[in-house]
Structures are given as C-alpha cells and as structure tokens.
Amino acid sequence: MAEMDATIETSSGGEYEREPVPKSALMGPGKFWGMYAGEHAAGTEFMIGPLFLGAGASLQDLILGLLLGNILAVLTWRYLVVPIAMAKRMTLYYQLERIAGGSMVKIYNVVNGVLFCFLAGAMVTVSASAVGVPFNINYTVPDNLFALGEVSFTMLVVMVGVVMAIVAAAGYETVARVANLAAPWMIAIFAACGIVSLGQMEVTSYASLTENWNNAIEFVQGKNPNAMQLNFWQIVLFAWLCNGAMHFGMADLTIFRFARDKSSGWAPAIGMFLGHYMAWIAAALLLAVQIKLSQDATPNPGRLAWMSLGWTGILCVIIAGWTTANPTIYRAGLAFQGLFPRSSRVSMTLLAGAVATIAGAFPNLSGKLLDFVGTYGTVLGAMGAVIVVDFYLMRKFGLTDEYAAKSGITFNSAVLLAWVLPVAVGLWLIFWQGVFAAYLVIPCWFACGILYLILSKFVQHPVPEYDQLASK
C-alpha cells in the first residue's frame, strides 16, 4: 500500500491536486469564513432575490423558509462534508478517481466542470450588467435562451470574464484573500440596499412592507400569469439545496481539505445568513422599489443597485460577482484537470474561465437560476452519496473502499450506474413532468448511495493485500 501511494504525483504550485494536503499547508478558520462570506454574499444574490418576488413567494414564507433552509444547509456542510474532508484531505476529483477509476471520473468531470462554468457564467453576466450602467450599455434579456445580448454587452462580458479567470488561476490562497478583503464591505452594502429600499417604499411598519410586497407580486403576476408560485416548503428546499453540489455533492471537499480544525465547518453560516438570507431579501426589496417607482419588473442587477446606492451599488455588484465566480471557476478548473492529469491547474482554470465567459454572454441563462441550481444540485449532488457510502459503509458491509485505486481498475461500473440511473429519472421528472428541481436532490442522493452499495456487491472482486490489512 505504501508503494502504491508513493506513485501519486506531487502537486504543482502548492495546490495538492493529486495528494493529501500536508499539515504545513492547513489553514485556520478565518480563511474559510472570509471565503464563504465572499462567495455567498454574491452577485447572483441580485438575481435570485428578485426571482423570489417574481415567483410569487409571500414575505412571511420567504423570511421563515429561508431561515430554516439555510440552517439545514449549514448543518449539512458541517456534519457531512467536513469530517470526510479532514480525514482524506483530497480534492473531490482525486478522491472520486480512487473510488470510481480515472476513466469513469472523466465523464463526471466533464459534467461537473461544465455545470460549474455555467453557474460562474451567470455571475459574469451579473457583474457585466453593473459595469454597463454608467456607460449606458444595456443589459437586455432576449426571448431565446441561447441568444446573445447587444454586442457592447457581450464585449463587457468578455472583459469581466478574463479578469475573473486570472484571479481564479492564481490558486486557492489568492481566491481566499480576495474574498476576505471584499466580504465585510459587500455585506454592509447589501444591508444598505435593504434599508434604503424600505425608505424608498416609505415603509413604516411590517404591515406596510407586506402591502408593498404584495402589490409588487400582483404587478409581476399580472405581466406573467403563468409564473411559478413558490410555497414555504419550496423555499426551504431551495435554500437548503441550491448549493447541493457543494455539500451533498461533496464539491467542497476540495475547499475543506485545507481546514486545520472542525470549527472551520461552520464558516458556510456567514454565507448562508448574510448572503442567502439577508442579501436575497434585500435584493428582492430592490425589485419591489423598482416596480413601485417605475412599473418595471425587469431584474437587471446593475440597474437595481444603481437606483438604490448609485456608484457604490454598482461597485458592489461588480465585486460580488467577482468573489463568487472566482472559487466556482477554481473548482471547475480542478474538474477539467481531472480530464488531463498532466496539464497544469492554471491552464485548466483559464479554460474554465473561458467556458464561463462564453456562458455569461447569454443573458437569459442568468434569469433561469432558480431552475438551474436545483437541476445542477440533482445532477452533481447524487455523486456525493458514493463518497459518503464509500467512506462510512463499504468496510462495514465487507466491501473494499477506494476500490479503483486498490484493485487497479480504471472504470468502476457500479459508480456509473448508481449515478446515472437516479439522475436520469430526476431529469425526466424535472424537464418532462414539471417537478420542482429542488425536490429531486435528496431522493436522487439516497438512491445513488443505495445503488452503489448494492451494485458493488456484484462488481467488486477480492483485493487480497487490502482485505488482509482491513481484517487486522
């Protein structure tokens, strides 16, 4: 076993992509609090918040639903992701390679990297919408999902995307440093947006706030009678599972492998409650103000921030999109590196940045975030169950953990079937039966884990060296 582990390639640039992170490279909790604050108090909050209002969510359901959903999300990070991350200290991609085999993981890495790039692309779009406001460059959303915006806006997207890719390529330390510097200021600006919005709507009580909110919903629903109607439990599940790929899907093993102690696992709380709670509500209020003052329900992030805080709001949208896209592109770059193990992380991160920039050039994609994040959580979240089952249950059922690495196979068919079958059913329910995407994340996760355990009984063959070690 020692000889096999010794063949692992040494990482380049101190990122330890294909080996456990050594003690000398571990980071204290502060790095993680700053990164999660920067990543989740983000440019996309200026898009997601208004979408709740547009989807007819009541103010009470939004306040209480987001509270419960974000508590569940934090607990999932802390008790599902962190123990495995600290025990293994490997990236998601390398850990999965040891379980599923290099050839099988290439399939997952393509899907993973592309979906992360599309998510980052929405953040590029949001930042570009803010850059365009002072230059009178319009952020317009075409009817066609895959239609480009104006030429001038597309050029802005390219410039913003290049900057984001360069920062992400500098590595996790740089990504964390940027987030640490920007997060406190951004959080204050989000709070200011909410406070200013209350003044602009002349809110004097909770009753008057509810009245303004309901009037805005009636306006939006009148423009689009077929719009989604979000209820309390849909809001809870969306808040919990919109980051399903990161916690249930174990993508943040890549982040928490650097954690020195378990207390770092509470760091997502700052992102959830200041980003996915306060910032979403504040951003939704910005749209309510715009509807009241100009009878316009277009969720243009740059213009919403401009109407509230002027140049400060514009700068906040730009930086918020930047600090969120950076770690997302970083993750996607590591996924692409899994396809080409001999390539450098920097080159693959730049490739991820290019794909994200292309996605950002299609403005309509950013308007589909409520649907997209639930779908990508369903697709990517399920694979996390394989890692959890492999870590906690395989030996208890007399099976070999990290089977691909220990048996020398490059394709573990049990992993592929366990992942593809439930996800295929989930996607069918989402796209052909109209099921709310967030409903499918947990059922697909459990189905994948159970199938992996059952199929491994049929696929695995004894690995004598490791079976002897395990029995001692």
Side-chain angles (χ1 to χ4, degrees):
M1 180 166 60
E3 292 177 359
M4 180 179 293
D5 291 342
T7 65
I8 299 171
E9 295 176 24
T10 301
S11 65
S12 60
E15 293 296 314
Y16 310 102
E17 299 97 332
R18 298 184 62 77
E19 64 178 309
V21 175
K23 288 185 179 180
S24 60
L26 301 183
M27 301 179 185
K31 295 287 186 181
F32 299 91
W33 285 88
M35 195 218 77
Y36 277 97
E39 183 178 1
H40 296 284
T44 44
E45 316 330 334
F46 282 102
M47 284 298 303
I48 293 175
L51 291 177
F52 282 116
L53 189 152
S58 75
L59 186 60
Q60 177 176 301
D61 283 352
L62 189 63
I63 292 172
L64 297 179
L66 291 182
L67 177 64
L68 177 57
N70 287 318
I71 289 173
L72 292 171
V74 173
L75 292 174
T76 307
W77 260 299
R78 171 61 183 83
Y79 291 106
L80 194 66
V81 180
V82 172
I84 299 177
M86 292 184 64
K88 295 289 189 178
R89 299 211 178 277
M90 299 176 189
T91 68
L92 162 71
Y93 314 106
Y94 186 55
Q95 191 163 335
L96 198 56
E97 180 181 324
R98 295 179 65 83
I99 297 169
S103 297
M104 195 270 131
V105 167
K106 289 182 187 298
I107 300 171
Y108 174 79
N109 283 350
V110 171
V111 176
N112 195 355
V114 170
L115 289 177
F116 273 128
C117 285
F118 272 83
L119 184 61
M123 302 163 199
V124 175
T125 303
V126 168
S127 289
S129 77
V131 175
V133 169
F135 299 102
N136 293 318
I137 296 176
N138 294 324
Y139 164 75
T140 55
V141 180
D143 293 332
N144 192 321
L145 181 62
F146 292 104
L148 296 172
E150 297 180 3
V151 174
S152 55
F153 183 76
T154 302
M155 295 302 295
L156 272 183
V157 167
V158 171
M159 290 187 289
V160 171
V162 167
V163 173
M164 290 180 176
I166 291 172
V167 173
Y172 180 76
E173 180 69 29
T174 300
V175 169
R177 187 181 302 116
V178 170
N180 272 322
L181 291 173
W185 177 80
M186 287 192 305
I187 290 168
I189 297 304
F190 272 112
C193 285
I195 294 169
V196 169
S197 297
L198 295 177
Q200 290 175 318
M201 289 188 291
E202 299 178 343
V203 170
T204 57
S205 65
Y206 183 77
S208 65
L209 173 58
T210 302
E211 181 181 359
N212 276 281
W213 182 272
N214 291 338
N215 289 340
I217 288 177
E218 289 177 10
F219 179 84
V220 174
Q221 299 288 320
K223 293 286 185 180
N224 185 9
N226 297 319
M228 179 192 301
Q229 296 283 337
L230 282 179
N231 60 43
F232 172 79
W233 287 109
Q234 286 176 315
I235 295 170
V236 171
L237 287 173
F238 180 85
W240 181 13
L241 302 171
C242 69
N243 290 120
M246 276 76 162
H247 46 68
F248 272 109
M250 295 284 142
D252 278 359
L253 291 177
T254 303
I255 302 300
F256 282 116
R257 67 196 168 114
F258 288 100
R260 183 176 296 127
D261 54 69
K262 291 181 179 179
S263 65
S264 297
W266 297 111
I270 193 169
M272 294 303 98
F273 289 102
L274 295 181
H276 291 188
Y277 191 72
M278 181 268 289
W280 279 353
I281 293 173
L285 293 176
L286 291 177
L287 182 59
V289 169
Q290 179 176 280
I291 291 171
K292 181 173 183 176
L293 298 181
S294 61
Q295 300 295 286
D296 182 3
T298 306
N300 181 335
R303 188 148 58 91
L304 290 174
W306 173 263
M307 289 178 61
S308 176
L309 296 176
W311 284 101
T312 303
I314 291 292
L315 187 60
C316 180
V317 175
I318 295 170
I319 295 177
W322 186 22
T323 58
T324 310
N326 287 340
T328 305
I329 293 172
Y330 172 79
R331 290 187 184 98
L334 288 174
F336 290 151
Q337 190 184 35
L339 291 172
F340 309 102
R342 296 183 181 277
S343 64
S344 71
R345 181 194 53 79
V346 171
S347 63
M348 290 298 98
T349 304
L350 292 175
L351 174 62
V355 176
T357 301
I358 293 170
F362 300 99
N364 215 337
L365 292 176
S366 64
K368 304 293 184 182
L369 279 175
L370 287 181
D371 298 321
F372 175 76
V373 295
T375 301
Y376 102 112
T378 299
V379 174
L380 299 182
M383 188 62 88
V386 169
I387 293 174
V388 172
V389 168
D390 196 81
F391 183 78
Y392 286 109
L393 299 180
M394 294 300 275
R395 292 192 179 187
K396 291 182 179 179
F397 282 83
L399 297 166
T400 304
D401 62 328
E402 295 190 350
Y403 181 68
K406 294 175 179 178
S407 66
I409 66 170
T410 61
F411 195 98
N412 188 338
S413 57
V415 176
L416 180 64
L417 290 172
W419 178 44
V420 169
L421 292 177
V423 167
V425 173
L427 293 178
W428 176 74
L429 291 171
I430 292 169
F431 291 107
W432 282 274
Q433 301 301 311
V435 175
F436 184 56
Y439 285 158
L440 280 308
V441 177
I442 294 177
C444 284
W445 192 90
F446 275 106
C448 181
I450 293 169
L451 280 173
Y452 171 59
L453 194 61
I454 293 172
L455 291 170
S456 292
K457 284 279 189 182
F458 297 96
V459 169
Q460 286 196 7
H461 300 289
V463 184
E465 177 187 355
Y466 290 95
D467 290 345
Q468 291 172 15
L469 289 172
S471 64
K472 291 181 180 180

